[in-house]
Structures are given as structure tokens and as C-alpha cells.
Amino acid sequence: MAISPSSMPSASQEATSTSTSSNTFKKSRGRGTAIVVYMLFLGSVLAVVTAPIGVLIAHMKRNDAEEWVASHLQFQIRTFWVGLLGGVLFTGIWHLLGWIGLPAVAPWALGYLYFTACLIWMVGRCGVGITRLTNNRPVANPRSLAFGGARVTLADR
């Protein structure tokens, strides 16, 4: 079966179709909320109080969001609680290292390394989430401890 030029969509029809599907995703319930929560999490790098506000919003809006957006909200909730648990556990270990009589530089160096690793982890998760959200894709595995099932590389394609 041959395709005639009259049966092929014109460039303006394709653009209209693309913008219509794009607008459908942009109007998805909860999408704006997920964007705000990612920004609050990234803002917590400078002001720690924004992360608890973000997780509170994510908890409140998770059931009202469309399924693919709810995966982002679940991913954000998991990011907050795993990060908080890791921080509490490490703070206990950090104090224990100080109490057992190690030179003061050892716990402090370990603390800075841990803090840097946590910062990279949190910013990386937010980056993966924002990328998937702006591409109108759910988080593949929102309960993941890493990056939600995304393959993260530093190479160009």
C-alpha cells in the first residue's frame, strides 16, 4: 500500500498533535506539585527546612495525582525518609567514633565524606526525577534506594 502525499499529515498537523499530547501531560494532576517538591528538595541544600515541607506536600498530594506522577511523589517521599534515616544512623556512628577516643580529625573527615556522598545522592535523585518528569515519564522503581531504576552515566550519547 502506497502512502500518497495527501494522506500524510502536514507539518502543522504534526505540530498540533505534538503540542496537544504535550499539553495533556503538562496538565496531568499532580505534575506541578511534583515539580515544586523537587525544587524544595534541591532548596534544602541551602535551607534544610524546605525538605520537610516538600515531603509533607508529597504525602498530602500523592493520592490525588495521576499514576505516573504518583510514582514521582513516592520517589520523593522515599528520598526524604531514607535520607533522614541515614542521617540519624550516621550521626550516632559519628558520635560513637568521637567517644571511643579517635583523633578528632577522623570523625570530622568521615562526616564530611558522608555529607558529600549524601548530597550527591540527593541531588542525583532529584536530577533523575526532574528529567523523567519533564519527559513525561514515571519513575520506573520509586522504592529504589539508588536512582529509581534509571541508568545514570556521565557519558554523552
Side-chain angles (χ1 to χ4, degrees), residues 88-156:
V88 168
L89 289 174
F90 185 78
T91 300
I93 292 169
W94 187 61
H95 283 290
L96 182 65
L97 290 175
W99 289 333
I100 63 173
L102 286 176
V105 72
W108 280 104
L110 189 61
Y112 281 116
L113 288 173
Y114 179 78
F115 177 76
T116 302
C118 286
L119 188 62
I120 291 168
W121 176 78
M122 193 264 309
V123 171
R125 281 178 66 97
C126 287
V128 165
I130 290 168
T131 300
R132 293 185 76 79
L133 186 66
T134 57
N135 288 324
N136 304 314
R137 296 171 49 202
V139 175
N141 183 5
R143 295 185 177 270
S144 165
L145 293 178
F147 298 102
R151 197 179 106 202
V152 180
T153 65
L154 298 177
D156 288 338

Side-chain angles (χ1 to χ4, degrees), residues 18-100:
T18 303
S19 66
T20 303
S21 65
S22 178
N23 286 336
T24 301
F25 281 112
K26 287 182 180 180
K27 293 179 182 178
S28 295
R29 278 187 334 272
R31 188 172 188 270
T33 301
I35 291 170
V36 168
V37 173
Y38 280 125
M39 293 303 118
L40 287 169
F41 279 13
L42 289 173
S44 71
V45 171
L46 298 175
V48 177
V49 72
T50 63
I53 294 169
V55 78
L56 180 63
I57 292 169
H59 272 292
M60 290 185 339
K61 298 293 185 174
R62 179 178 49 182
N63 295 331
D64 297 335
E66 290 189 31
E67 187 176 341
W68 74 274
V69 177
S71 72
H72 285 275
L73 297 172
Q74 179 64 40
F75 186 64
Q76 294 163 340
I77 291 167
R78 182 91 168 177
T79 300
F80 177 82
W81 290 112
V82 169
L84 182 66
L85 178 64
V88 168
L89 289 174
F90 185 78
T91 300
I93 292 169
W94 187 61
H95 283 290
L96 182 65
L97 290 175
W99 289 333
I100 63 173

